[in-house]
Amino acid sequence: MLFSLIKLFGTFICRDLRRNVARTIITISGIALGVAVLLAISLANHTALDKFKETVDRVAGKANLEIQSISSARLDENLLYKIRWLPMVATKFTAIIEENVMLRDEDGPVVQLIGIDMLCDPEFKTYDDSASQSGRSTDVLAPNAALIGSRLAAEQKVSVGDTLTLLINEHARKLKVVRIMSSKGLGGAFSGNLIVTDIRTAQECLDMPGKITRVEIIAPPEELSDIQEKLRHDLPLDVSVERPSQRGVQVENMTRSFECNLLALTFIALMVGMFLIYNTMTISVIRRRTEIGTLRAIGVSRGKVLALFLLEAFAFGVVGTALGIVGGILFAQGALDSIAKTFEHFYFKEPIETVIVNPVILLGAFALGVTLTVAAAFAPAMEAASVAPAEAARRASYEMKTSRSAGRLAIYAFTVLALAAIAAAQPPVNGLPVFGYVASLATIIGCALLMPQTLKSILPPLSCICERLFSAEGRIAARSLYGTLGRTSVATASLMIGIAMMVSLAIMIGSFRQTVMMWVDQSLKADLFIQTAARSGGSKQARLQEATVQAIRSTPGVEAVDAFVEQPILYNGERTNLAAGEFDVVGKYGHLLFRSGEDARKLCSSMTNKDCLVSEPFAIRRHVKEGDTIQLMTPKGVEAFFVRGVYYEYASDLGYVTITRSKYIDLFGDTSVSSCAVYVKSGADPDKVRAEIMRRIPSATRLAINTTGSIRKEALIVFDRTFAITYALHAIAIAVALLSVINALFALVMEFKRDFGILRYVGATQQQLRRIVLVEAGLLGAIGNAGGLVLGYLLSLLLIYVINKQSFGWTVQFSFPWVFIAQSGLLVFGTALLAGLIPARIAANTVAPSVVRDE
């Protein structure tokens, strides 16, 4: 049985694949591209998160518990006195400081500064290969002494004895390199891009006396749970006691929406590949119906015919997926670079050098690619198995069946589209737009099912138009497509989906970019924006001191200053941002945009210490609305705030809770600020005011002072950097669309050789045959373009108003990029005509007797 099947596969399937090498290569390429994109994104995502978790493990060392603040990024050092009982239960602990700092100047890299107690138990940290024995060496306790990672030393060309200059808050600090750590132990954290000092040195450098980042604990495993519960009972409510691995879980939760949306977009590319398989297999079955009928007549069972075509699909899947895995590994590095930029800007800073190739992900991608390929071929294979000898003798039987079933398929299509509309209205599931993805898939399937009826309706009138434009050749081309409705509808649907992916991404990116620019222009109305040079370069916790703020306020020409501060906090166990501003200034000069449409100046002017504003992402992701009361954990306990309004904001998908600065100072005792928005007096020159501010500030103070124009430019740079991976997906979408065009034309036009032979036999010239093929190519390109535009528009609505809204909480104003879409449409149409040149030449060179001999 198996031997006969293999023999039949070699003669019946492999021979046909060799005869149609071009179409075989194109189909395999479609599968390979879809798998490669999906695998590249998966590998990049997993690499970024794995590197973060690895860093957490390296920094934590053997620690199995951590104490951290819920209400801010820092802890009061006095907390250590409350856990002095730990050594009595055979438990060790040490304080840790961890901050991002700028190296050299505002154009330098951001590195991680870690401060630890150099005299702590050696079990906590290993600094280099020999440090387990020499970790207490006095060189690391010298004033301003620092150990640096090997990667940082190599990139900055730093040796032992050299001096490093760091930008921290407003000033530059110098540290002396006393040791270069190997990549083992702590030296491998942050990919070796780190500086380690004694905890007292770190506190002095960071201007945070009496503050630490967290406390790490090594507790006996058998008593871990009891110790954890006792610590939770003894310590203030605004601190957490968790396993170090919990930080990795938090980051996974933060980045989950971003990852899922990327994978959802790549599935569209994979789906186009599946349509290419469906297209190829369907046309293969149509073309070989007579041969299938002959096989059935000589006794080949339906099951064996089904197995033959599924085996062909399996071969396509294995070869295409294998090539896709190779391509995915090659593409993954570029995807990683783009994803790392997004993660660094929004979630965490972790330098990532190379992709980690996870065998489990490779096996998963291989299984998925092969499974989807076989699944895509199942319907055509079932059609082949259902062929009866008598039916196969009638060459047009399948086309007649497709034409008769077009109306029924249209009813199915509208049913599926109605289900898509219902799914789009459903809420997210665990913070993910699951029904949004379902709606997108249903929309694609619905539009594909609608294609036969659409072609049946528009091709007859198009044949009249083509006859007027291209004479008899135009009419023959249109009627030929109509007569092969089964082949034409599948090929056009494949082309439509490829173009739709390109169109939907173009609309989403263009709309998002336009929305961000409108938000920047309308919201940021201050004349000058001031922050430390370190923060401007990427050190998010760098602050301006109150003395600097007062110097700015007293500068001649300054009308008002909005001192703004932000810091990460946990809200209901999930990370978000707490911010504080001076609402009397914002109410008078600001232009916050509120979701309710309420006047911003009136609302802000009436803010009290018991009120807060929340950003739209926070409101959507935390299910908060105007008029609600939210509770925040602070150093002074739980504080309740009344939500006065929800404002539009696009700086972070984690969201913001914004309170008055006076309330923030009262709760946290912190007078430093993240940035200042400066409004100059009427008639004053902002450039002169800027120069005066710089003159009044001590020369050692390192500030970055930007105008609204430079902020807008910076916002564009950040946007483009953050969405680099989406731009890459857009480029791939164009490639997929073009591949669909070529595949569809090769699959259709090459199957018309018999028709060309008959035309040659009745007197058609080579030039006429070329024109017929090129008109067919143009019609396919035009119809595919139109269908892709409609489907792309529908998908863009789902991406913008459902998937993006539920994932990130951003309201995006719809913007249609007419120029780009027109250019892309012309590109696809031109590709369709170019793709028709080779089949046109083959058609023109058709030898009539050899083709129509069986007639």
Side-chain angles (χ1 to χ4, degrees):
M1 172 71 178
L2 181 61
F3 177 77
S4 63
L5 182 64
I6 294 174
K7 186 176 180 181
L8 196 59
F9 179 81
T11 55
F12 184 70
I13 300 295
C14 293
R15 182 176 60 185
D16 188 74
L17 294 178
R18 289 194 298 270
R19 288 177 177 175
N20 298 276
V21 174
R23 194 175 71 248
T24 301
I25 292 174
I26 291 171
T27 303
I28 290 174
S29 299
I31 301 170
L33 185 57
V35 172
V37 174
L38 186 68
L39 179 61
I41 298 297
S42 298
L43 286 175
N45 281 335
H46 280 81
T47 296
L49 290 175
D50 285 351
K51 288 297 292 183
F52 177 82
K53 292 176 183 177
E54 179 189 333
T55 287
V56 169
D57 291 340
R58 285 179 180 270
V59 174
K62 295 182 180 180
N64 48 18
L65 283 178
E66 287 183 346
I67 301 175
Q68 286 186 291
S69 173
I70 295 174
S71 59
S72 69
R74 295 171 180 174
L75 285 169
D76 191 318
E77 196 174 29
N78 290 328
L79 177 139
L80 297 175
Y81 292 104
K82 297 182 180 182
I83 59 174
R84 287 177 296 177
W85 56 269
L86 286 175
M88 291 185 288
V89 290
T91 299
K92 304 166 185 176
F93 68 91
T94 188
I96 296 288
I97 289 176
E98 193 174 312
E99 291 279 357
N100 292 324
V101 297
M102 291 291 298
L103 191 62
R104 292 196 319 273
D105 52 44
E106 53 267 30
D107 295 323
V110 177
V111 299
Q112 201 74 10
L113 175 63
I114 297 179
I116 67 172
D117 182 358
M118 292 294 181
L119 297 178
C120 71
D121 194 290
E123 281 194 70
F124 279 99
K125 302 289 175 288
T126 298
Y127 306 112
D128 56 27
D129 294 340
S130 59
S132 58
Q133 301 299 324
S134 60
R136 299 171 186 249
S137 178
T138 56
D139 59 348
V140 298
L141 295 173
N144 299 319
L147 298 80
I148 67 172
S150 55
R151 173 182 171 178
L152 181 62
E155 289 185 349
Q156 301 301 319
K157 298 180 174 58
V158 175
S159 304
V160 173
D162 290 346
T163 298
L164 285 176
T165 300
L166 307 179
L167 278 187
I168 299 175
N169 293 331
E170 300 175 344
H171 303 100
R173 308 285 186 180
K174 293 186 180 297
L175 295 175
K176 183 179 180 180
V177 178
V178 298
R179 191 178 301 175
I180 295 175
M181 298 177 289
S182 72
S183 60
K184 296 182 179 180
L186 180 60
F190 300 96
S191 302
N193 195 53
L194 80 162
I195 300 170
V196 178
T197 71
D198 182 67
I199 194 165
R200 298 304 173 197
T201 301
Q203 287 176 326
E204 292 174 7
C205 282
L206 295 167
D207 296 324
M208 48 184 286
K211 298 292 184 181
I212 57 177
T213 302
R214 63 179 179 273
V215 179
E216 294 187 351
I217 300 170
I218 301 176
E222 64 275 8
E223 299 180 35
L224 187 62
S225 297
D226 292 339
I227 291 174
Q228 185 177 14
E229 286 305 312
K230 180 169 174 50
L231 286 170
R232 286 174 174 170
H233 180 268
D234 292 350
L235 296 176
L237 293 175
D238 70 322
V239 301
S240 66
V241 184
E242 302 290 349
R243 308 288 178 91
S245 58
Q246 186 63 26
R247 277 193 283 156
V249 174
Q250 289 176 357
V251 167
E252 263 190 293
N253 290 335
M254 284 192 298
T255 60
R256 185 177 56 176
S257 293
F258 177 75
E259 294 177 75
C260 289
N261 281 339
L262 281 182
L263 291 175
L265 291 175
T266 60
F267 263 113
I268 298 178
L270 193 59
M271 185 173 293
V272 175
M274 297 310 99
F275 260 84
L276 295 180
I277 281 290
Y278 182 85
N279 181 25
T280 299
M281 296 297 293
T282 300
I283 291 177
S284 178
V285 170
I286 295 170
R287 179 170 46 82
R288 290 185 284 180
R289 287 178 71 83
T290 303
E291 297 176 39
I292 296 170
T294 303
L295 289 178
R296 295 280 293 112
I298 62 176
V300 177
S301 66
R302 293 180 185 273
K304 189 171 288 187
V305 172
L306 176 66
L308 275 176
F309 282 93
L310 289 180
L311 195 57
E312 179 182 10
F314 180 78
F316 273 130
V318 169
V319 176
T321 303
L323 292 175
I325 287 176
V326 174
I329 294 173
L330 296 176
F331 294 161
Q333 189 61 51
L336 178 64
D337 293 341
S338 298
I339 287 174
K341 291 174 183 176
T342 302
F343 280 177
E344 285 182 21
H345 181 73
F346 281 114
Y347 307 114
F348 60 87
K349 287 197 175 292
E350 171 67 44
I352 306 167
E353 292 177 309
T354 55
V355 169
I356 299 173
V357 179
N358 189 325
V360 175
I361 297 176
L362 297 185
L363 289 174
F366 185 82
L368 181 65
V370 174
T371 301
L372 289 180
T373 301
V374 174
F378 190 76
M382 287 294 293
E383 171 65 25
S386 68
V387 171
E391 182 187 358
R394 300 192 298 272
R395 300 180 66 99
S397 59
Y398 179 79
E399 304 300 347
M400 291 171 61
K401 184 189 298 185
T402 302
S403 181
R404 287 196 301 267
S405 63
R408 186 174 71 254
L409 290 175
I411 295 174
Y412 295 159
F414 285 116
T415 302
V416 173
L417 289 173
L419 292 175
I422 295 172
Q426 303 307 307
V429 179
N430 293 327
L432 293 177
V434 174
F435 287 104
Y437 301 145
V438 171
S440 299
L441 179 60
T443 301
I444 293 172
I445 294 173
C447 288
L449 290 174
L450 197 58
M451 187 56 68
Q453 183 60 45
T454 302
L455 291 173
K456 190 176 180 181
S457 300
I458 67 173
L459 281 175
L462 278 178
S463 66
C464 298
I465 296 173
C466 290
E467 184 176 17
R468 293 175 185 173
L469 295 175
F470 307 107
S471 302
E473 295 93 318
R475 184 177 183 84
I476 291 172
R479 296 303 297 182
S480 178
L481 293 177
Y482 183 83
T484 55
L485 201 60
R487 316 180 198 188
T488 306
S489 57
V490 173
T492 310
S494 173
L495 174 57
M496 174 187 68
I497 294 172
I499 295 172
M501 180 183 175
M502 175 185 69
V503 170
S504 61
L505 282 176
I507 294 175
M508 184 194 73
I509 295 172
S511 298
F512 210 152
R513 205 171 194 269
Q514 185 67 23
T515 300
V516 170
M517 289 305 98
M518 288 174 59
W519 171 69
V520 170
D521 290 340
Q522 294 178 20
S523 298
L524 306 182
K525 293 295 186 180
D527 299 289
L528 298 173
F529 295 89
I530 303 177
Q531 58 187 336
T532 66
R535 181 178 171 83
S536 177
S539 182
K540 297 297 185 183
Q541 290 303 309
R543 300 287 185 84
L544 291 167
Q545 299 305 310
E546 178 65 19
T548 302
V549 177
Q550 293 303 325
I552 295 170
R553 291 186 198 275
S554 62
T555 302
V558 172
E559 177 78 16
V561 175
D562 173 23
F564 176 82
V565 61
E566 64 172 300
Q567 66 180 29
I569 61 168
L570 291 181
Y571 178 79
N572 292 341
E574 295 186 17
R575 184 178 158 187
T576 188
N577 298 297
L578 175 66
E582 301 185 355
F583 285 100
D584 54 336
V585 177
V586 177
K588 187 175 181 180
Y589 300 97
H591 291 77
L592 282 178
L593 302 176
F594 286 93
R595 191 169 65 177
S596 64
E598 190 172 352
D599 181 73
R601 298 191 176 188
K602 180 180 178 181
L603 192 153
C604 291
S605 298
S606 62
M607 285 281 292
T608 70
N609 284 346
K610 295 182 179 181
D611 297 330
C612 74
L613 302 177
V614 299
S615 67
E616 185 188 30
F618 180 90
I620 290 177
R621 300 183 74 166
R622 319 297 181 199
H623 309 292
V624 173
K625 60 184 183 300
E626 297 88 342
D628 287 350
T629 298
I630 62 173
Q631 293 185 328
L632 301 180
M633 189 65 69
T634 76
K636 291 190 175 182
V638 177
E639 286 283 334
F641 292 93
F642 179 77
V643 179
R644 289 295 308 277
V646 178
Y647 63 94
Y648 293 112
E649 174 272 322
Y650 300 91
S652 171
D653 69 306
L654 300 179
Y656 284 86
V657 177
T658 306
I659 62 177
T660 64
R661 186 166 174 245
S662 59
K663 184 64 174 178
Y664 174 85
I665 293 173
D666 176 56
L667 291 173
F668 293 88
D670 177 19
T671 59
S672 64
V673 301
S674 302
S675 61
C676 288
V678 179
Y679 299 88
V680 304
K681 293 180 178 179
S682 178
D685 185 349
D687 290 331
K688 290 182 178 179
V689 173
R690 180 183 185 278
E692 182 61 22
I693 290 173
M694 294 301 294
R695 191 185 68 80
R696 286 170 168 259
I697 299 296
S699 58
T701 302
R702 309 291 289 273
L703 299 182
I705 304 180
N706 299 302
T707 62
T708 302
S710 61
I711 289 289
R712 189 180 193 278
K713 189 179 297 183
E714 179 64 24
L716 277 173
I717 294 172
V718 170
F719 180 91
D720 292 337
R721 184 172 62 232
T722 304
F723 284 81
I725 186 63
T726 314
Y727 286 130
L729 282 177
H730 190 203
I732 290 170
I734 294 175
V736 169
L738 299 182
L739 192 63
S740 301
V741 173
I742 297 170
N743 181 77
L745 286 170
F746 263 100
L748 279 175
V749 178
M750 294 299 290
E751 297 312 317
F752 292 155
K753 284 187 67 175
R754 173 180 167 275
D755 303 81
F756 298 145
I758 294 174
L759 288 173
R760 288 285 287 148
Y761 199 80
V762 297
T765 66
Q766 290 184 331
Q767 184 64 29
Q768 286 176 316
L769 293 184
R770 287 195 189 95
R771 291 184 65 185
I772 291 172
V773 173
L774 290 177
V775 172
E776 287 175 348
L779 283 173
L780 280 177
I783 296 171
N785 252 324
L789 190 62
V790 173
L791 177 56
Y793 173 77
L794 295 176
L795 289 177
S796 71
L797 294 179
L798 292 171
L799 284 172
I800 292 172
Y801 296 117
V802 180
I803 294 176
N804 167 74
K805 191 74 175 283
Q806 293 182 2
S807 297
F808 305 111
W810 287 318
T811 292
V812 177
Q813 303 300 320
F814 190 89
S815 176
F816 197 91
W818 291 102
V819 174
F820 177 84
I821 297 298
Q823 291 173 342
S824 300
L826 289 174
L827 176 64
V828 172
F829 185 75
T831 302
L833 293 178
L834 289 174
L837 289 177
I838 296 177
R841 179 188 296 179
I842 296 173
N845 294 329
T846 299
V847 179
S850 64
V851 176
V852 299
R853 186 176 292 124
D854 62 335
E855 299 295 326

